[in-house]
Every structure is written in C-alpha cells, then in structure tokens.
Amino acid sequence: MATPPRRDPGDPYAVLGVPATASDAQVTAAFRALVRALHPDAAPGTPGAREELDRVVAAYALLHDVERRAAYDAAHARPAARPRPAPRPVPRPDPFEPPLRAGPVRVEPLRGRDDLRRRDR
C-alpha cells in the first residue's frame, strides 16, 4: 500500500487530511484509515512511516479532545470553523417509574370448581 503524501506537521487538520469543520466521526475515520496505512505491521520497511504515524496520533489526540480542539481553534482563529453542536443529553430513566409498562389487561373472574364441573357435562 502506498504511503499517503506528507502533510504540514504543524496543522493537525492537514495531518489527518480533514477540514476544520470536520465532525468527530470524520476525524476518527481519517485517523483509522491513516493508522491502517502507516502502521509498521502493515507496511514494514517504509522509511519515515513511524514518524508520520507519531504525527497522526498526536493530531488525533488534539482533535479528539473537545477542550483541546476548542483551544487550538481559538488560538489559530480559523474563519471557516463553525461551532460544534453540543452533544445531546442522554435520557435517564425515572427512578419512580416501574421498569416495565403494560397496556390494558383483560380481567376475567376466577372460576371455582363448581364452574368447571358444570362445563364438563
């Protein structure tokens, strides 16, 4: 497999090959693709692959962390960067609700032994 082209080592977006507006999923997908291509077991003997892999891992560590990514974007003032949406809150179950809900239940009166005897006849 061919080694990806060399990128600017100072810009984590360029190292991963994603735009500054990339989502977390896009950053992770780019990281995984580059790790597969640059890993020493996948391409043994490729010169410079280890250094490039170290740059990719460092860039992913920076962009994957929300606080570090926001600080980097603020320090480098990217005009195209838009604010990332806040993660949706996870709904928590109400501790006072029963764990199961059931719909209407059909209720029939209990039959005694007399009812069973009459039915058998």
Side-chain angles (χ1 to χ4, degrees):
M1 182 178 282
T3 304
R6 296 187 63 79
R7 296 169 180 86
D8 178 19
D11 183 20
Y13 293 104
V15 170
L16 292 178
V18 296
T21 58
S23 67
D24 287 337
Q26 291 171 321
V27 170
T28 301
F31 168 72
R32 288 180 179 171
L34 287 171
V35 166
R36 270 188 235 110
L38 295 172
H39 196 273
D41 291 340
T46 305
R50 179 66 185 177
E51 292 79 19
E52 186 70 18
L53 181 63
D54 290 340
R55 278 194 223 91
V56 168
V57 170
Y60 179 71
L62 176 71
L63 296 180
H64 185 67
D65 184 13
V66 176
E67 293 175 2
R68 289 177 64 193
R69 182 176 182 174
Y72 178 83
D73 288 342
H76 290 83
R78 297 187 171 275
R82 61 181 176 181
R84 295 171 58 210
R88 290 186 219 167
V90 176
R92 304 280 182 205
D94 186 10
F96 300 107
E97 280 285 321
L100 297 174
R101 293 185 185 182
V105 178
R106 183 174 173 184
V107 178
E108 294 182 12
L110 292 175
R111 295 184 183 156
R113 289 186 177 181
D114 294 334
D115 292 336
L116 293 175
R117 283 188 209 140
R118 278 187 236 147
R119 188 184 251 185
D120 292 340
R121 293 182 189 172

